[in-house]
């Protein structure tokens, strides 16, 4: 992971404004191309034997209408499952619910394009942290986990190595740049520039381990 800029540039960050269930919502969109087939990428995302190699162990009834549980993290229901193109789930974590859509398509330059949409209702959490709270986390997963897993031919990613990199100066530089990128996407979507910048700063502070006194955990 020495080429931080190359990995940062591989992800396109967008924020969309929608209404969901009669309430204002925001959608964090991360798009990235992978040098593999849609079938292989779908398998990496949905195979319960493969997911722990780059993400988290998963249990449950992994089919349309079934319930899943990520170890130590979110749970939810599978609301759409169209292999190898479209997966949608509810994301239930910390007493709240949001919605995740993953769409796979042929990439213009070859390989497969992954578009991940994470939608949530506007809340005090969003007002404090903006899109980076989930955007940085997903970006670390897409780069640190999934990209390395695919680039290694499907080998398991060492969690200890990932943790060490995340807390290194290089990792913190990646997190800072990612958070600032999400802040820029927030402003591009119509948020006040100063507000977007402040949200990004709070998210950066949390992920790099040095939150100011008024910062709460982005997952709350």
């Amino acid at each position: 992971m020495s080429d931080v800029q190359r990995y940062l540039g591989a992800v396109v960050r967008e924020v969309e404004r929608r209404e969901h269930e009669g309430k204002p919502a925001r959608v964090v969109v991360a798009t990235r191309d992978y040098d593999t087939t849609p079938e292989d990428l779908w398998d990496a995302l949905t195979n319960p034997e493969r997911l722990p190699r780059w993400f988290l162990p998963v249990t449950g009834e992994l089919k349309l209408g079934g319930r899943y549980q990520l170890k130590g993290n979110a749970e939810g229901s599978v609301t759409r499952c169209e292999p190898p193109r479209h997966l949608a789930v509810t994301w239930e974590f910390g007493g709240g619910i949001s919605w995740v859509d993953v769409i796979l398509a042929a990439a213009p330059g070859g390989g497969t394009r992954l578009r991940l949409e994470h939608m949530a209702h506007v809340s005090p959490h969003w007002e404090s942290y903006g899109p980076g709270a989930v955007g940085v986390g997903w970006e670390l997963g897409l780069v640190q986990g999934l990209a390395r897993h695919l680039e290694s031919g499907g080998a398991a990613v060492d969690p200890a190595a990932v943790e060490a990199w995340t807390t290194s100066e290089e990792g913190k530089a990646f997190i800072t740049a990612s958070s600032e990128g999400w802040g820029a996407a927030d402003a591009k979507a119509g948020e006040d520039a100063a507000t977007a910048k402040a949200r990004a700063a709070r998210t950066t502070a949390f992920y790099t381990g040095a939150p100011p006194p008024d910062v709460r955990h982005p997952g709350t």
Side-chain angles (χ1 to χ4, degrees), residues 59-74:
T59 57
E61 195 176 14
L62 306 180
K63 63 180 184 179
L64 184 63
R67 296 281 301 177
Y68 73 91
Q69 170 72 63
L70 290 166
K71 185 176 180 180
N73 204 291

Side-chain angles (χ1 to χ4, degrees), residues 126-160:
W126 176 273
E127 298 294 354
S128 292
Y129 295 98
V134 296
V136 172
W138 279 119
E139 197 163 335
L140 286 168
L142 294 174
V143 173
Q144 274 286 80
L146 182 56
R148 294 180 69 182
H149 168 69
L150 293 170
E151 289 170 1
S152 67
V157 176
D158 181 3

Side-chain angles (χ1 to χ4, degrees), residues 34-113:
Y34 294 92
D35 186 19
T36 190
T37 64
E39 290 77 13
D40 181 53
L41 188 52
W42 178 269
D43 187 66
L45 293 166
T46 61
N47 187 333
E49 295 183 0
R50 195 169 172 185
L51 265 173
R53 299 182 201 169
W54 67 271
F55 194 46
L56 292 168
V58 61
T59 57
E61 195 176 14
L62 306 180
K63 63 180 184 179
L64 184 63
R67 296 281 301 177
Y68 73 91
Q69 170 72 63
L70 290 166
K71 185 176 180 180
N73 204 291
E75 61 180 306
S77 299
V78 180
T79 58
R80 190 163 182 171
C81 185
E82 301 172 4
R85 299 295 179 182
H86 195 170
L87 175 70
V89 300
T90 61
W91 190 265
E92 301 166 29
F93 180 76
I97 182 170
S98 52
W99 299 266
V100 175
D101 264 78
V102 178
I103 301 165
L104 307 184
T112 304
R113 174 160 294 176

